[in-house]
Amino acid sequence: MTERTFSILKPDATKRNLTGKINAVIEESGLRIVAQRRIKMTQEQAEDFYDVHRERPFYGALVEFMTSAPVVVQVLEGPKAVAKYRDVMGATNPEQADAGTIRKLFALSVGENSVHGSDSVDNAKIEIAQFFDAEDIVG
Ligand code: GDP
């Protein structure tokens, strides 16, 4: 069934001018980019977005990284979009990512891993609402 998921092209990707190349992988997978905006995340946005990781040792580094350069926030749509995009992204650590995935192709490390994608339909709804108004998503 058709779903929506939330995606971020992270600072390591925008800094290396990889927005187009990553979008090509997304589109070739069959997912449709139905909303997209380039922003500089604020400290507060990054802290709220990664609140579930607040107690993890890498939380500070993660927030610092996500605010270090612009990101591209996106809404992707398609059949089973949440699981589909997780497959297209590949494992969190690029060394463990399958061939052809975005992280295998482009990621630098477990921290600078080029993309975020929601891990459930419920979280996708919450994350989309953090960055997009409903009328700005054109499916
Ligand atoms: P994801 O759902 O595959 O993005 O992975 P997680 O939800 O487990 O982690 C969220 C993000 O935190 C990852 O995408 C990484 O950017 C970052 N992260 C996770 N583990 C580590 C780590 O061990 N070190 C650092 N520096 N960052 C990490």
Side-chain angles (χ1 to χ4, degrees):
M1 79 176 238
T2 299
E3 286 173 2
R4 285 176 175 172
T5 192
F6 180 69
S7 162
I8 305 176
L9 310 190
K10 295 185 178 183
D12 68 283
T14 62
K15 271 197 281 192
R16 290 179 289 150
N17 267 358
L18 291 172
T19 299
K21 285 201 172 94
I22 294 175
N23 277 351
V25 177
I26 290 170
E27 293 187 328
E28 276 159 19
S29 81
L31 289 164
R32 189 177 297 279
I33 301 164
V34 295
Q36 174 169 259
R37 198 167 77 249
R38 182 173 163 108
I39 61 166
K40 184 91 186 310
M41 263 200 198
T42 65
Q43 177 89 6
E44 192 182 15
Q45 276 176 320
E47 285 177 358
D48 286 354
F49 186 75
Y50 282 117
D51 196 52
V52 294
H53 295 307
R54 200 172 281 270
E55 303 307 324
R56 307 282 283 276
F58 57 83
Y59 179 72
L62 178 58
V63 169
E64 191 177 329
F65 169 57
M66 292 302 288
T67 56
S68 66
V71 300
V72 177
V73 290
Q74 305 176 313
V75 181
L76 311 181
E77 187 177 88
K80 298 195 169 141
V82 172
K84 174 87 190 172
Y85 190 44
R86 298 286 299 184
D87 283 349
V88 173
M89 290 196 307
T92 309
N93 183 343
E95 287 174 16
Q96 282 147 25
D98 289 339
T101 61
I102 293 169
R103 284 167 167 168
K104 188 63 166 190
L105 287 167
F106 303 116
L108 299 174
S109 65
V110 66
E112 296 190 292
N113 62 0
S114 303
V115 280
H116 165 86
S118 309
D119 62 3
S120 70
V121 173
D122 284 349
N123 281 338
K125 289 192 177 124
I126 292 166
E127 292 173 1
I128 289 168
Q130 280 178 265
F131 290 94
F132 289 97
D133 294 330
E135 63 267 28
D136 293 330
I137 305 168
V138 185

